[in-house]
Amino acid sequence: MPLKIIKTFDVKFLQIIDESGRADAGLLPDLTTEELLKIYRAMILSRTFNRMALALQREGRIGTYASILGQEGAETGSALALEKGDWIFPSFRETGVFISRGYPLWRMLRYWRGDERGMEAPADMNIFPMSVPVGSQITHAVGAAMAMNIKKDKNIAVTYFGDGGSSRGDFHEGLNFAGVFKAPVIFICQNNQWAISLPRNRQSAAETIAQRAAGYGVPGIQVDGNDVVAVYAATARAAERARAGEGPTLIECFTYRLDDHTTADDSSRYRTDEDVAKWQKKEPLIRYKIFLENKGILNKELDKEITDEAEGLVKAAVTEAEAVAPPAPADIIKYTSATLSVRQKKDIKALKWEK
Amino acid sequence: MPLKIIKTFDVKFLQIIDESGRADAGLLPDLTTEELLKIYRAMILSRTFNRMALALQREGRIGTYASILGQEGAETGSALALEKGDWIFPSFRETGVFISRGYPLWRMLRYWRGDERGMEAPADMNIFPMSVPVGSQITHAVGAAMAMNIKKDKNIAVTYFGDGGSSRGDFHEGLNFAGVFKAPVIFICQNNQWAISLPRNRQSAAETIAQRAAGYGVPGIQVDGNDVVAVYAATARAAERARAGEGPTLIECFTYRLDDHTTADDSSRYRTDEDVAKWQKKEPLIRYKIFLENKGILNKELDKEITDEAEGLVKAAVTEAEAVAPPAPADIIKYTSATLSVRQKKDIKALKWEK
Amino acid sequence: MGKITIVKAINQALAEEMARDEDVVLLGEDIGQDGGVFRVTDGLLEKFGPQRVMDTPLAELAIAGTAIGMAVYGLRPVAEIQFMGFTYGALEQVFSHASRIRSRSRGRFTCPMVIRTPYGIGIKAPELHSESAESLYCHMPGIKVVAPSTPYNAKGLLISAIRDDDMVLFMEPASIYRAIKAEVPTENYAIPLGKAAIMQEGDEITLVSWGAMLHKAMEASEGFDCEIIDLMTLKPFDEEAILESVRKTGRLVIVHEATKNCGLGAEIAALVAEEALFYLKAPVLRVAGPEAVTPMASLEDEYVPKVARIREALKDVMKY
Amino acid sequence: MGKITIVKAINQALAEEMARDEDVVLLGEDIGQDGGVFRVTDGLLEKFGPQRVMDTPLAELAIAGTAIGMAVYGLRPVAEIQFMGFTYGALEQVFSHASRIRSRSRGRFTCPMVIRTPYGIGIKAPELHSESAESLYCHMPGIKVVAPSTPYNAKGLLISAIRDDDMVLFMEPASIYRAIKAEVPTENYAIPLGKAAIMQEGDEITLVSWGAMLHKAMEASEGFDCEIIDLMTLKPFDEEAILESVRKTGRLVIVHEATKNCGLGAEIAALVAEEALFYLKAPVLRVAGPEAVTPMASLEDEYVPKVARIREALKDVMKY
Ligand SMILES: Cc1ncc(C[n+]2csc(CCOP(=O)(O)OP(=O)(O)O)c2C)c(N)n1
Ligand SMILES: Cc1ncc(C[n+]2csc(CCOP(=O)(O)OP(=O)(O)O)c2C)c(N)n1
Ligand SMILES: [Mg+2]
Ligand SMILES: [Mg+2]
């Protein structure tokens, strides 16, 4: 009885396509050529949007922007493994998730211009507005998932957060609720190894974030977040579990933030070019492209077609976004609640926002 | 590379004296007869105080009271393993910790009468007032421990909380900070298997709370909380680590709340007498007494002496507590901050609390 | 009809709304098997099952956060936070999310949820069991705040709160949970939010209060010609009712137990100082808690406004 | 002397106090290597080392909670919360602990700590980067709230805040962090908390503001005979300065950017309605944010009080 081991846990790591583009055949999910190309298209569109958004920011045509460069694998791979009816609760660095789900690009641009209308998701798209307070969206996904159980819907909920987000109480309380209520929810931590200037090893003394899952009786796995297929496979498996009533999963996508934290940041203050260069070589598109080429799915021509198409879509979105009339000041008040209060009517009048 | 195990964790359980009073000689800490009796005295005094407090509550001589019956092992064992200069950050169910540290009994009674003066610790006793918002004291201990590092003091900080408290974000953020800053702090979870009416298995889907420690890069252990010697040994070991600069430890004391949650609770609404009876047999004093008797340290006479002494101390404390003049209303305002504001002076005058 | 307590009236409102609308669900600590520490949810687990009456782990942030997730998904969650002092851990969820989701998504997502919580001094419970923090919530746009004072309005207001399409904080006066018994219709009825009740008409002083304090105000008013207004909805409060009354009486006394500074009484006084200044014959007096945190049990009766203090204020304004 | 910004003035105050008292330590997100997202703590890590300038994990509750632990242990921690909107996650620690530890322990433990946080609209940052939540904190007894408006008072007030024996919330006006450069003594000096500054004497209108809005108020006052009061300490605020001025001018206009309802302006108006009512010649006007949450960047300039709106209010009160 005395000092005995009562439980043992393993922490697993999944990679399917390695940095050189070689795939582990035994682990490769069953994806058709079309599906594989869909993933590629989403990654290219995400990257193209990201590049143009950064350019627009430099020209003052949008505000502060949070680049996703290097994280397209984690975002696209997870988003495309879900069903249409599933609900997504993102942080602010999931542009690739929005794009993979088919979110109107012009709305994304409006959002980054500081326009609330940017986060008005189309009626048939269950994607929640970006959450700015880090980690605070996690419990929303858990609650939605609990509601799915109550309503006996077959949807699942997915929430995204960063390595920084994993330090917040919201993470803990959310995972614990999800475990207790066996909620159909997937927790996707984009561990991009930085929270603004704080490196991952000073965010927590634990070596992985995945190993936290055991503390809630929830399965957890660390995935190579720069391997889009591994992320896809892990998410698909977690979704399957959730839909089968087996409860939540924590997926840690190990990736790297290649750009500054946002356009308001200067990462040279806290990290070296060499560090970034090392990760540049591991970024998700390089290996996935080689993989597709080796498989004979992608060639120069098709690649150009896909890239051009993406450019076209983003350019059209820029035009569309910039053609939108500025928001009406009265909207500040009008969308506060379902009905206007006496005070709000007085305000609208006093501010001369309406006659 | 693909799906591989990158880490493995064990969860350990420590018991030294079993329910029948048999000790594991190899694990027994090196305690003198005097020290062993000190522990016994503290347990008896705690239990005596607890019994009398419950009686006083029934007579309306104190207010709502939270019984510690069954938890004397966890409280006394941990509190006595610490040094005089160490800092304690308790919840509201650590009467046995206060008592083991030598806290004036009359002050405890004043506290339960609803008098703030009850939590004015003697100047040489670093025990923080009871914290009522569950779990919210955890980060205070971590901060104090960080301060100890900064000031290069050799003290350590200890915080207590329940199984319910382990569900709060404070637990997560606190353990994570402690891990990152290698703070000399011990987290003692009194898992008494209930949070008011919520049984432990619905507080979390994880089988132990100790297994959470790995998620912060912190060592954790589950201890038989009804084995005072095991708790002592585990705490002493954690204190040693902390003082040696090796950082925090999480200790889960597995115990059982034998009484109602508080005197305002009726536990028959949510648990059965049989459940309680089962744990009654495992309570900490039974086995410790047998252990001491078997060792020839305790006999009937000495036991009576110790019990009588405890009775005497508590009775004297009751007299002392009841002789204290009621608090002055102006104290409500006067202790708010170091200096009185204009508004506060107006209030004191308007309320005629002073001329 | 039948004479029932506020506890029972709230229980009725919950049971009726849950029977009427299966999207109404409850969550909170000890609300199931135990029936809530004040027994407000007694019997509801048996009636509606564990999927609609959810005992949660001890985590207020998550109670609020998961309620938000449920609400945006299409349920109408009613969360219980065991005491108002423990809502502080949920404030970020309320302030950064529940209050802003409609605005943030331009109406695509809404957050029809209720947080019920007992508030106020008077039950001699431990620290932080006696908070009266309404003004924190009243300051935040996008949410409503309600505080009933009788079994009748407790039931009707809670029903409206549950049906409201935005978040409502429902503050239950713990000190009178069981102190008042009154006739309450057994039928389902709603009392509109945002409207105050004139408890008594009068010509010389407008006396505004809510929740447990209302009863002290009423007691204190004896012998004075007071128009007594029970605010009921604290946010948005019934500005017109107050202004109209003050235009008639020219005197205003506000009673609340929260500390005076930046309390809701300040907003009421400021409104009058802006919109009805020249009707005022006397200074606007607030009888409220002093500048100190709520004390523990042995001094709590000193902290909370006493009837005598209210009478003094009424006398004071009558000097003008 | 030398002309410096508010950012630099705060940096100086921190550096001087850290040099003077080794118990002064800093903690927060990105305050070390990065020097803070606004560079307020630039260079302090190099100067004082990682034990006194602590980059923390991303967790506001723990930042506040550990600061409390440090303070009771004997340090004087100055915590940075990156934006005021993110202090909401730390409210329970402030409301349930920092503000009550002295009272709860009858003086045995105290909590001398500062939380610094940028506040307010004007930097076109994402949502929740523009909050002005002073009234929440002002409502809570046991803590102080300070909001500087110039480099000079930023330095002197922060020095006092650090030396104060209770918790002080120090709100830094982000929109003018770098907009104003002014002469600031290189010596160490303290500006007492609780005292307002009369920025300009005047006879016809008392104009009260603080932080970034003070400058708009001053601009708007041109052509009016205003007595302009910079509140500086918002809790406890300088009641006497306001009352004295209103007794002279008979007119009061308050300008703040937080939403009007239950904002700090309400308390100021209520104070005057109670203690100086009969001096008032005109309604008390509050020029404040409308009843809505702070919008995102493209509408933020519409939300925040404009100079023209302040002028209108000044004109309005002069009609009486
Ligand atoms: C509660 C909260 N605190 C601070 C911030 C400011 N902030 C924005 S992003 C960020 C770092 C986030 O790191 P991480 O969670 O790893 O996400 P990443 O930016 O790497 O995607 C910080 C500190 C915030 N938005 N919310
Ligand atoms: C934040 C908070 N929420 C709720 C409560 C009410 N409450 C007091 S004790 C308790 C249960 C605590 O359970 P646990 O942490 O296991 O400690 P135990 O009572 O078993 O010692 C609850 C819900 C509280 N005091 N604080
Ligand atoms: Mg990150
Ligand atoms: Mg417990």
Side-chain angles (χ1 to χ4, degrees):
Chain A
M1 172 64 119
L3 186 61
K4 62 167 189 184
I5 293 174
I6 51 171
K7 287 191 80 69
T8 300
F9 298 104
D10 294 333
V11 187
K12 292 201 181 106
F13 178 83
L14 176 70
Q15 185 193 60
I16 297 177
I17 303 179
D18 72 12
E19 292 157 35
S20 67
R22 258 188 310 267
D24 183 314
L27 291 168
L28 259 185
D30 221 15
L31 287 165
T32 62
T33 299
E34 210 173 308
E35 286 167 327
L36 289 168
L37 280 176
K38 189 175 177 193
I39 293 175
Y40 187 68
R41 277 203 178 85
M43 288 173 81
I44 292 291
L45 184 55
S46 298
R47 181 160 295 185
T48 307
F49 179 93
N50 197 63
R51 179 171 41 78
M52 293 208 183
L54 287 164
L56 289 172
Q57 191 280 332
R58 277 190 297 271
E59 294 166 19
R61 290 158 72 187
I62 62 170
T64 303
Y65 176 75
S67 171
I68 59 160
L69 192 72
Q71 302 183 212
E72 299 89 345
E75 303 197 0
T76 296
S78 55
L80 291 178
L82 306 174
E83 300 293 331
K84 186 158 167 51
D86 294 340
W87 282 61
I88 291 172
F89 294 83
S91 87
F92 54 86
R93 203 188 296 284
E94 272 82 37
T95 294
V97 173
F98 279 85
I99 289 177
S100 301
R101 302 293 291 173
Y103 198 84
L105 300 181
W106 69 268
R107 283 200 191 268
M108 296 296 290
L109 291 168
R110 291 302 310 178
Y111 174 80
W112 292 110
R113 274 173 84 109
D115 180 351
E116 280 84 354
R117 292 172 299 178
M119 283 295 115
E120 184 192 337
D124 64 343
M125 204 174 277
N126 300 324
I127 187 159
F128 211 56
M130 301 194 198
S131 172
V132 170
V134 168
S136 62
Q137 68 280 10
I138 295 175
T139 52
H140 306 163
V142 178
M146 289 165 71
M148 291 162 189
N149 272 348
I150 294 167
K151 285 181 166 267
K152 301 188 176 40
D153 290 348
K154 274 295 162 216
N155 300 328
I156 67 169
V158 182
T159 183
Y160 290 84
F161 52 90
D163 43 317
S166 76
S167 290
R168 294 250 317 176
D170 306 70
F171 169 92
H172 178 72
E173 299 193 8
L175 261 96
N176 194 44
F177 266 53
V180 167
F181 290 101
K182 275 208 164 205
V185 50
I186 309 178
F187 301 92
I188 299 186
C189 177
Q190 287 210 60
N191 171 5
N192 62 9
Q193 303 186 57
W194 293 94
I196 308 188
S197 70
L198 198 74
R200 170 54 195 82
N201 65 350
R202 292 180 57 203
Q203 190 65 246
S204 175
E207 283 172 64
T208 73
I209 291 162
Q211 74 202 50
R212 295 222 172 116
Y216 311 101
V218 165
I221 186 170
Q222 192 185 57
V223 176
D224 183 340
N226 288 358
D227 171 5
V228 68
V229 171
V231 174
Y232 181 95
T235 310
R237 175 74 196 99
E240 206 175 280
R241 286 192 70 247
R243 257 183 266 277
E246 292 166 39
T249 304
L250 169 64
I251 300 174
E252 174 186 358
C253 296
F254 192 70
T255 178
Y256 192 89
R257 193 196 82 210
L258 286 169
D259 273 337
D260 289 339
H261 169 68
T262 65
T263 50
D265 176 47
D266 170 11
S267 63
S268 73
R269 290 177 71 93
Y270 53 79
R271 67 181 189 184
T272 63
D273 286 351
E274 293 83 72
D275 194 27
V276 180
K278 208 179 72 189
W279 281 92
Q280 201 85 51
K281 291 184 206 124
K282 304 189 191 181
E283 66 91 347
L285 260 162
I286 298 177
R287 78 180 74 172
Y288 191 54
K289 204 171 157 187
I290 298 174
F291 167 76
L292 293 180
E293 284 167 356
N294 288 351
K295 268 198 113 127
I297 291 175
L298 190 70
N299 56 30
K300 271 230 165 77
E301 240 164 39
L302 181 55
D303 193 22
K304 184 165 174 353
E305 192 186 305
I306 290 173
T307 312
D308 288 351
E309 189 196 30
E311 295 256 347
L313 286 170
V314 180
K315 276 190 186 144
V318 174
T319 310
E320 203 174 347
E322 296 191 333
V324 171
D331 286 359
I332 295 175
I333 291 177
K334 285 191 165 172
Y335 284 102
T336 304
S337 28
T339 48
L340 289 179
S341 68
V342 171
R343 181 69 65 100
Q344 289 177 314
K345 286 178 197 156
K346 282 182 196 171
D347 282 338
I348 290 180
K349 232 179 106 185
L351 287 156
K352 303 188 183 79
W353 283 346
E354 270 177 19
K355 275 147 267 164
Chain B
M1 172 63 120
L3 186 61
K4 60 166 191 185
I5 293 174
I6 50 173
K7 287 190 82 68
T8 300
F9 299 103
D10 294 334
V11 187
K12 293 201 182 106
F13 177 84
L14 176 69
Q15 186 193 58
I16 298 178
I17 303 179
D18 73 12
E19 292 158 35
S20 68
R22 258 189 311 267
D24 184 314
L27 291 168
L28 260 184
D30 220 15
L31 288 165
T32 62
T33 298
E34 209 174 308
E35 286 167 326
L36 289 168
L37 280 175
K38 187 174 178 194
I39 293 176
Y40 187 67
R41 278 203 177 84
M43 287 173 83
I44 292 290
L45 184 56
S46 299
R47 182 160 294 184
T48 307
F49 179 93
N50 196 64
R51 179 170 42 77
M52 293 209 182
L54 287 165
L56 290 172
Q57 191 280 331
R58 277 190 297 272
E59 295 167 18
R61 290 159 72 186
I62 63 171
T64 302
Y65 176 75
S67 171
I68 59 160
L69 191 71
Q71 300 183 214
E72 299 90 345
E75 304 197 359
T76 297
S78 54
L80 291 179
L82 306 174
E83 300 293 331
K84 188 162 166 45
D86 294 340
W87 282 60
I88 291 173
F89 294 82
S91 87
F92 53 87
R93 203 188 295 287
E94 271 83 38
T95 295
V97 173
F98 280 85
I99 289 177
S100 302
R101 302 294 290 175
Y103 198 84
L105 299 181
W106 68 269
R107 282 199 192 271
M108 296 297 288
L109 290 167
R110 290 303 309 179
Y111 174 79
W112 292 109
R113 276 174 80 108
D115 180 351
E116 280 83 355
R117 292 172 300 178
M119 283 295 115
E120 185 192 337
D124 64 343
M125 204 175 278
N126 300 323
I127 187 158
F128 210 56
M130 300 195 199
S131 172
V132 169
V134 168
S136 61
Q137 67 280 12
I138 295 175
T139 52
H140 306 162
V142 178
M146 288 164 71
M148 291 161 188
N149 272 348
I150 294 167
K151 285 178 165 268
K152 300 188 176 41
D153 289 348
K154 273 296 161 215
N155 301 329
I156 66 170
V158 182
T159 182
Y160 290 83
F161 51 91
D163 43 317
S166 76
S167 291
R168 294 248 318 175
D170 306 70
F171 169 92
H172 178 72
E173 299 192 8
L175 261 96
N176 194 45
F177 266 53
V180 167
F181 291 100
K182 274 207 164 206
V185 51
I186 309 178
F187 300 92
I188 300 186
C189 178
Q190 286 209 62
N191 172 6
N192 63 6
Q193 303 185 56
W194 292 94
I196 309 188
S197 70
L198 199 74
R200 170 53 195 82
N201 65 349
R202 291 180 56 202
Q203 190 66 244
S204 175
E207 283 172 64
T208 73
I209 292 162
Q211 74 201 51
R212 292 223 173 116
Y216 311 101
V218 165
I221 187 170
Q222 193 186 57
V223 175
D224 184 339
N226 288 358
D227 171 5
V228 68
V229 172
V231 174
Y232 181 97
T235 310
R237 175 73 195 100
E240 206 177 280
R241 285 191 71 246
R243 258 182 265 277
E246 291 167 39
T249 304
L250 170 64
I251 300 174
E252 174 187 359
C253 295
F254 192 71
T255 178
Y256 191 88
R257 194 196 82 208
L258 286 169
D259 272 337
D260 290 339
H261 169 69
T262 65
T263 51
D265 176 47
D266 170 10
S267 63
S268 73
R269 291 178 68 94
Y270 53 79
R271 68 181 188 185
T272 63
D273 286 352
E274 293 84 72
D275 194 27
V276 180
K278 208 178 73 190
W279 281 93
Q280 202 85 50
K281 293 185 207 123
K282 304 190 193 182
E283 65 91 347
L285 261 162
I286 297 177
R287 78 180 73 172
Y288 192 53
K289 206 171 156 189
I290 298 174
F291 167 78
L292 293 181
E293 284 166 355
N294 288 350
K295 268 199 115 135
I297 291 175
L298 189 70
N299 55 31
K300 271 227 167 78
E301 242 167 36
L302 180 56
D303 193 21
K304 184 164 172 0
E305 192 185 307
I306 291 173
T307 312
D308 288 351
E309 188 196 29
E311 296 256 347
L313 286 170
V314 180
K315 277 189 186 144
V318 174
T319 311
E320 203 174 348
E322 295 190 335
V324 171
D331 286 358
I332 295 175
I333 291 177
K334 284 191 165 170
Y335 285 102
T336 303
S337 28
T339 49
L340 288 180
S341 68
V342 172
R343 182 69 66 99
Q344 290 178 313
K345 287 178 196 155
K346 284 184 195 170
D347 282 338
I348 290 179
K349 232 179 106 187
L351 287 156
K352 302 185 185 79
W353 284 347
E354 271 176 16
K355 277 147 267 169
Chain C
M1 300 281 272
K3 286 202 167 197
I4 59 171
T5 62
I6 291 181
V7 162
K8 185 69 196 150
I10 294 171
N11 182 282
Q12 263 186 24
L14 293 171
E16 288 175 22
E17 287 303 289
M18 290 181 81
R20 196 187 56 79
D21 179 356
E22 66 174 18
D23 286 339
V24 178
V25 299
L26 313 185
L27 70 160
E29 294 158 13
D30 308 294
I31 64 163
Q33 189 70 32
D34 196 36
V37 290
F38 286 104
R39 309 286 176 254
V40 172
T41 53
D42 199 20
L44 299 179
L45 173 68
E46 290 79 347
K47 216 174 277 174
F48 298 102
Q51 283 221 316
R52 294 185 64 198
V53 182
M54 292 170 265
D55 269 324
T56 69
L58 206 163
E60 285 73 14
L61 185 169
I63 291 174
T66 57
I68 290 171
M70 291 176 200
V72 302
Y73 190 74
L75 297 179
R76 289 187 172 267
V78 182
E80 175 177 308
I81 304 272
Q82 228 159 55
F83 287 92
M84 189 158 208
F86 308 137
T87 70
Y88 296 156
L91 281 175
E92 180 173 52
Q93 285 297 322
V94 174
F95 288 175
S96 301
H97 292 296
S99 64
R100 294 173 202 240
I101 284 168
R102 178 188 291 274
S103 172
R104 178 181 295 155
S105 69
R106 282 300 181 253
R108 167 69 172 83
F109 297 101
T110 58
C111 194
M113 63 183 269
V114 176
I115 294 180
R116 291 181 37 244
T117 193
Y119 84 96
I121 280 177
I123 56 162
K124 304 254 185 245
E127 213 196 345
L128 284 155
H129 287 65
S130 328
E131 304 288 297
S132 187
E134 61 274 9
S135 87
L136 305 178
Y137 289 90
C138 288
H139 185 48
M140 194 49 62
I143 61 172
K144 297 187 180 70
V145 181
V146 173
S149 59
T150 66
Y152 175 79
N153 65 31
K155 180 172 172 182
L157 289 166
L158 181 53
I159 288 173
S160 290
I162 293 172
R163 296 181 190 173
D164 196 86
D165 286 330
D166 296 294
M167 187 196 124
V168 179
L169 177 76
F170 193 80
M171 296 169 56
E172 304 175 358
S175 65
I176 54 167
Y177 254 154
R178 293 194 156 76
I180 307 169
K181 280 200 170 192
E183 299 281 344
V184 168
T186 47
E187 308 85 77
N188 190 272
Y189 61 95
I191 298 177
L193 304 187
K195 287 270 160 253
I198 312 291
M199 301 301 289
Q200 178 187 298
E201 301 207 358
D203 287 320
E204 303 213 294
I205 308 172
T206 299
L207 183 55
V208 177
S209 194
W210 57 87
M213 283 303 104
L214 178 82
H215 300 279
K216 288 207 184 180
M218 292 188 58
E219 196 185 327
S221 72
E222 216 153 297
F224 296 90
D225 185 5
C226 288
E227 177 134 309
I228 303 178
I229 297 182
D230 180 358
L231 215 50
M232 298 198 301
T233 299
L234 313 189
K235 169 74 176 282
F237 68 82
D238 192 340
E239 305 191 1
E240 243 348 283
I242 291 170
L243 290 171
E244 204 174 297
S245 179
V246 170
R247 286 189 197 113
K248 176 172 69 173
T249 63
R251 296 183 190 85
L252 174 61
V253 174
I254 305 149
V255 183
H256 63 63
E257 63 180 278
T259 185
K260 188 173 176 180
N261 192 71
C262 288
L264 178 54
E267 180 58 39
I268 297 169
L271 171 78
V272 169
E274 178 164 352
E275 301 202 20
L277 183 75
F278 298 118
Y279 293 90
L280 284 174
K281 297 177 198 155
V284 177
L285 296 190
R286 292 174 284 164
V287 185
E291 182 63 27
V293 298
T294 42
M296 284 175 68
S298 58
L299 287 175
E300 66 178 40
D301 293 338
E302 301 297 325
Y303 182 95
V304 84
K306 294 182 185 184
V307 170
R309 269 181 69 206
I310 305 173
R311 289 186 65 82
E312 247 175 79
L314 296 175
K315 263 186 232 160
D316 280 352
V317 295
M318 287 310 296
K319 285 182 192 150
Y320 297 86
Chain D
M1 300 282 271
K3 287 204 169 199
I4 60 172
T5 61
I6 291 180
V7 163
K8 185 69 196 152
I10 294 171
N11 182 283
Q12 263 186 24
L14 293 171
E16 289 175 21
E17 288 302 289
M18 291 180 81
R20 194 187 58 79
D21 179 354
E22 65 174 19
D23 285 337
V24 177
V25 299
L26 313 185
L27 69 159
E29 295 157 14
D30 307 295
I31 64 163
Q33 189 69 33
D34 197 36
V37 290
F38 286 105
R39 309 286 175 255
V40 172
T41 52
D42 199 23
L44 299 179
L45 173 67
E46 290 79 347
K47 216 173 276 172
F48 299 101
Q51 283 222 317
R52 293 185 66 199
V53 181
M54 292 170 267
D55 269 324
T56 69
L58 205 162
E60 285 73 14
L61 185 170
I63 292 173
T66 57
I68 290 171
M70 292 175 199
V72 302
Y73 191 75
L75 297 179
R76 290 188 172 264
V78 182
E80 174 177 308
I81 304 273
Q82 228 159 56
F83 288 91
M84 189 157 209
F86 308 136
T87 70
Y88 296 156
L91 281 175
E92 180 173 51
Q93 285 296 323
V94 174
F95 289 175
S96 301
H97 292 295
S99 64
R100 296 173 201 239
I101 284 169
R102 178 188 292 275
S103 173
R104 178 181 295 156
S105 69
R106 282 300 180 256
R108 166 69 172 85
F109 296 102
T110 59
C111 194
M113 63 183 269
V114 175
I115 294 181
R116 292 180 37 243
T117 193
Y119 85 94
I121 280 177
I123 56 162
K124 304 252 184 245
E127 213 195 345
L128 285 155
H129 287 65
S130 326
E131 303 289 295
S132 186
E134 61 274 9
S135 86
L136 305 179
Y137 290 91
C138 289
H139 184 49
M140 194 50 61
I143 62 173
K144 297 188 179 69
V145 181
V146 173
S149 59
T150 67
Y152 176 78
N153 63 31
K155 179 171 172 182
L157 289 167
L158 181 53
I159 288 173
S160 290
I162 293 171
R163 296 179 189 174
D164 195 86
D165 285 329
D166 296 292
M167 187 196 125
V168 180
L169 177 76
F170 193 79
M171 296 168 55
E172 304 174 357
S175 65
I176 55 168
Y177 253 154
R178 294 195 154 78
I180 307 168
K181 280 200 167 190
E183 299 282 344
V184 169
T186 47
E187 309 85 74
N188 190 273
Y189 61 96
I191 299 177
L193 305 187
K195 287 269 160 253
I198 311 290
M199 301 301 290
Q200 179 188 296
E201 301 206 359
D203 287 319
E204 302 212 295
I205 308 172
T206 300
L207 183 55
V208 177
S209 194
W210 55 86
M213 282 303 103
L214 178 82
H215 301 279
K216 288 208 184 179
M218 292 189 57
E219 197 186 328
S221 72
E222 215 151 298
F224 295 89
D225 186 4
C226 289
E227 177 134 309
I228 302 178
I229 298 182
D230 181 357
L231 214 49
M232 298 199 300
T233 299
L234 313 189
K235 169 76 176 281
F237 67 83
D238 192 340
E239 304 190 3
E240 241 349 282
I242 291 170
L243 290 170
E244 205 174 295
S245 179
V246 171
R247 286 187 198 115
K248 175 172 71 174
T249 64
R251 296 184 192 84
L252 174 60
V253 173
I254 304 149
V255 183
H256 64 62
E257 63 180 281
T259 185
K260 188 174 176 181
N261 192 70
C262 289
L264 178 54
E267 181 58 39
I268 297 169
L271 171 78
V272 169
E274 178 164 352
E275 302 202 20
L277 183 75
F278 298 119
Y279 294 90
L280 284 175
K281 298 177 199 155
V284 177
L285 296 190
R286 291 175 284 162
V287 185
E291 182 61 29
V293 297
T294 42
M296 285 176 66
S298 59
L299 286 175
E300 66 178 41
D301 292 339
E302 300 298 324
Y303 183 96
V304 84
K306 294 182 185 184
V307 170
R309 269 181 69 204
I310 305 173
R311 290 187 65 82
E312 245 174 81
L314 297 174
K315 264 187 232 161
D316 280 352
V317 295
M318 286 309 296
K319 286 182 191 148
Y320 296 87

